[in-house]
Amino acid sequence: MALVRPGSAQGQNQPAKLRWGELDEDDGEDLDFLLPPKQVIGPDENGIKKVIEYKFNDEGNKVKITTITRTRKLANARLSKRAVERRSWPKFGDAVHEDVGARLTMVSTEEILLERPRALGKAEEPKNAGDSLAQIGKGGTSLKLCRVCGKKGDHWSAQCPYKDLAPQTGPFSDKAPTSDATTAVPGAGKSTYVPPGLRAGAERTGTDMRRRNDENSVRVTNLSEDTREPDLLELFRPFGAVSRVYVALDKDTQVSRGFGFVNFVNREDAQRAINKLNGYGYDNLILRVEWATPRAN
Amino acid sequence: MRPILMKGHERPLTFLKYNRDGDLLFSCAKDHTPNVWFADNGERLGTYRGHNGAVWCCDVSRDSSRLITGSADQSAKLWDVQSGQQVFTFNFDSPTRSVEFSVGDRLAVITTDPFMELTPAIHVKRIASDPADQSAESVLVLKVPQGRLKINRAVWGPLNNTIISAGEDAIIRIWDSETGKLLKENQKEEGHTKTITSLVKSPDGSHFLTGSLDKSAKLWDTRTLTLIKTYRTESPVNAVAMSPLLNHVVLGGGQDAINVTTTDHRAGKFEAKFYDKILQEEIGGVKGHFGPINALAFNPDGKSFSSGGEDGYIRLHHFDHDYFNIKI
């Protein structure tokens, strides 16, 4: 305060103990008596307290500062008397000899989110399927016939979005899947190992799951090391329902590796997020946001 | 939310139970020692040593002074919660599967598995307030007509008038707890098709939820035994819980341990799935376990829940603020 008030006399008149730090204090005290006293009004029944203070501002003018605070009584965590008593119970059984190093109780290093399966209040599934069909079918001609789903004119069978839902057949096999399975089992020479979960007739939950997880996946690179999953979620949530957020962490150090993935429930939302956030400055770095390339199978 | 991981058991978890005040969490596992934890920070308070087999189930009295546990060592034990001392042992001729104190804590229902030539049975024991007067006599023994199939859960109905049982034959039965007469069985066509693994009552006892290996959970009216809701999921359900605060139900499960190595790890679906109780719609999933979820319990205040898995961990989740504002 004293520094910006060159006109104040006290400082100059006492050159003997011209100390910058003390000067400040002296100064304040000397002038404070000029101010009206501090007024405290309340707190009233709503817990509203009004404090009126006066002080000099940087230019030496008198300023009135009114601070209104409301103190709300939180419903204090209601612990029953018995529960409080139990808190001080001595440990027993194996817990007595538990040393601090045992680390039986740990707080997870991973942030777990309640993963939402779909957007708010919408029946998403059919729409999604139609959407991905439309994406692939763009510019399609009527010659295309899909052998997997039987759709005409939309896509080739290789691009069928339901490809991995269909029973697995051998690489060049035109046979029905059932006969394929029977020949593969007794170890026919050319066939490679097929995990039981992927064999024909097995419950196809695995690939189904993967499909959902990789849908509408957006890759975010050039993240700062401090960015965690909740931060990313906060950044991307305004664009639409997010089903998964993942930030790659170094296995040993738990430090972010600088990239992550965000899965959207809707493809349009993901596209909007890409348009908006690619090149966006986040935490001093320029984000790069793009469609994630599908995992190579 | 950052869950608290509690590693007090060496073997898969089997059951979790909060006391009425919600400050203690009891855990049972296939190792022989049930544990008790502080439910806020996950610190271990103590262990109950004495069983000689997997502990399948437990219940705690309303005043949190007595614990009852049922174990595969063919006994059910009463414990002093504070000291971890055994108070009494009920011996049976076959493993005990499910235990529960009645309203008022004067009775306990204990179920026993089929074993050797014994058929499954439901026993009702009187619990004396003074341990010195405790007797091992059964007040009532119900012989259940399901042959070699286990009863996985038996609980008290409203006002202790009835006992509700469910098990491997996938039929829910309601018994008169005075006479032992079979009062009701659920309709075959609307019931479960595979083993019922868990059964949990609503806080007011008006309805209850059953989880089954047929990949569904069903909500039933306690008095009429009519089906109210069905929640379908993608994997067998091992554990169910009902939020006392919001209209949420949680299903836990995952594929059988026997299949884990044969499929993609993500296909295991080892997550606790939240469903809206009324709309039957999935709200979300909480991941984290490395194996199927065997046990689920909601804190009576509805602000945290814990799950116990085949992986031997208990994960205690305190909900984020967002959770309370979820809209469907």
Side-chain angles (χ1 to χ4, degrees), chain A residues 61-89:
Chain A
N61 299 321
K62 201 164 82 176
V63 183
K64 180 182 174 188
I65 301 171
T66 310
T67 320
I68 301 171
T69 49
R70 184 161 76 163
T71 324
R72 249 201 266 184
K73 262 205 195 123
L74 285 175
N76 37 351
R78 272 162 49 82
L79 269 178
S80 73
K81 235 184 240 170
R82 306 290 279 287
V84 175
E85 202 182 299
R86 282 193 284 268
R87 200 71 232 189
S88 55
W89 278 2

Side-chain angles (χ1 to χ4, degrees), chain A residues 75 77-96 98 102-123 193 195-198 202-210 212-214 228 230 233 237 243-244 295 297, chain B residues 1-8 19 21-24 33 36-49 63-65 80-85 215 234 255 262-264 266-269 271-274 281-288 313 315 317 319-320 322-323 326-328:
Chain A
R78 272 162 49 82
L79 269 178
S80 73
K81 235 184 240 170
R82 306 290 279 287
V84 175
E85 202 182 299
R86 282 193 284 268
R87 200 71 232 189
S88 55
W89 278 2
K91 304 227 163 157
F92 57 90
D94 294 344
V96 176
E98 217 165 84
R103 308 244 293 153
L104 288 182
T105 305
M106 282 182 298
V107 176
S108 164
T109 53
E110 208 181 342
E111 180 79 24
I112 305 278
L113 300 160
L114 190 74
E115 291 180 14
R116 306 295 302 267
R118 62 182 74 84
L120 301 175
K122 291 184 209 162
Y193 173 74
L198 297 178
E203 284 185 62
R204 313 264 323 158
T205 47
T207 43
D208 197 23
M209 180 94 164
R210 182 181 312 145
R212 194 178 83 177
N213 253 354
D214 284 354
R228 287 294 136 97
L233 182 68
R237 194 151 49 182
S243 60
R244 182 185 78 128
R295 189 189 305 271
N297 281 328
Chain B
M1 50 196 170
R2 280 181 193 265
I4 297 170
L5 275 60
M6 289 126 83
K7 176 76 178 143
N19 68 342
D21 295 320
D23 65 321
L24 297 178
T33 327
V36 58
W37 311 78
F38 285 117
D40 49 354
N41 60 3
E43 193 186 335
R44 185 157 78 167
L45 171 61
T47 59
Y48 298 92
R49 285 195 150 254
D63 61 357
S64 306
S65 65
D80 182 49
V81 168
Q82 180 171 6
S83 64
Q85 297 301 314
K215 303 184 183 179
E234 294 135 340
Q255 64 185 166
T262 64
T263 41
D264 190 346
R266 279 169 299 182
K269 305 209 172 62
E271 49 181 337
K273 293 229 180 207
F274 281 70
E281 250 179 63
E282 189 183 331
I283 297 166
V286 174
K287 286 189 184 144
Y313 277 95
R315 295 173 73 96
H317 307 77
F319 290 116
D320 288 338
D322 297 356
Y323 166 78
I326 285 179
K327 300 218 167 46
I328 299 288

Side-chain angles (χ1 to χ4, degrees), chain A residues 9-253:
Chain A
Q10 283 87 351
Q12 270 97 5
N13 289 350
Q14 297 165 325
K17 45 169 192 174
L18 195 64
R19 279 257 188 105
W20 194 76
E22 285 166 38
L23 205 138
D24 188 318
E25 270 180 318
D26 288 348
D27 237 15
E29 263 169 17
D30 281 350
L31 286 171
D32 268 354
F33 71 91
L34 295 171
L35 297 171
K38 183 168 143 183
Q39 261 182 297
V40 181
I41 304 165
D44 64 4
E45 70 276 7
N46 293 326
I48 294 174
K49 193 169 100 174
K50 208 174 189 179
V51 179
I52 305 173
E53 284 174 296
Y54 298 88
K55 71 178 239 191
F56 289 108
N57 71 357
D58 290 354
E59 278 100 46
N61 299 321
K62 201 164 82 176
V63 183
K64 180 182 174 188
I65 301 171
T66 310
T67 320
I68 301 171
T69 49
R70 184 161 76 163
T71 324
R72 249 201 266 184
K73 262 205 195 123
L74 285 175
N76 37 351
R78 272 162 49 82
L79 269 178
S80 73
K81 235 184 240 170
R82 306 290 279 287
V84 175
E85 202 182 299
R86 282 193 284 268
R87 200 71 232 189
S88 55
W89 278 2
K91 304 227 163 157
F92 57 90
D94 294 344
V96 176
H97 308 295
E98 217 165 84
D99 48 330
V100 188
R103 308 244 293 153
L104 288 182
T105 305
M106 282 182 298
V107 176
S108 164
T109 53
E110 208 181 342
E111 180 79 24
I112 305 278
L113 300 160
L114 190 74
E115 291 180 14
R116 306 295 302 267
R118 62 182 74 84
L120 301 175
K122 291 184 209 162
E124 274 309 319
E125 294 311 318
K127 191 182 167 199
N128 254 347
D131 200 39
S132 57
L133 272 179
Q135 284 282 336
I136 294 159
K138 259 176 202 155
T141 56
S142 57
L143 277 174
K144 291 178 177 175
L145 170 68
C146 176
R147 273 173 297 157
V148 178
C149 63
K151 255 207 162 172
K152 217 173 181 179
D154 238 350
H155 52 267
W156 299 107
S157 30
Q159 288 151 348
C160 179
Y162 304 108
K163 186 169 55 178
D164 43 9
L165 289 176
Q168 196 98 350
T169 51
F172 303 109
S173 139
D174 292 325
K175 289 173 255 173
T178 45
S179 67
D180 188 288
T182 47
T183 52
V185 170
K190 58 169 185 174
S191 70
T192 49
Y193 173 74
V194 183
L198 297 178
R199 278 175 205 159
E203 284 185 62
R204 313 264 323 158
T205 47
T207 43
D208 197 23
M209 180 94 164
R210 182 181 312 145
R211 259 171 54 83
R212 194 178 83 177
N213 253 354
D214 284 354
E215 246 169 37
N216 309 330
S217 183
V218 171
R219 188 171 67 167
V220 190
T221 44
N222 207 23
L223 283 170
S224 79
E225 279 185 2
D226 302 327
T227 312
R228 287 294 136 97
E229 277 153 18
D231 305 322
L232 216 54
L233 182 68
E234 200 179 309
L235 181 66
F236 279 84
R237 194 151 49 182
F239 296 97
V242 171
S243 60
R244 182 185 78 128
V245 185
Y246 171 74
V247 171
L249 296 180
D250 190 287
K251 245 183 211 151
D252 302 322
T253 60

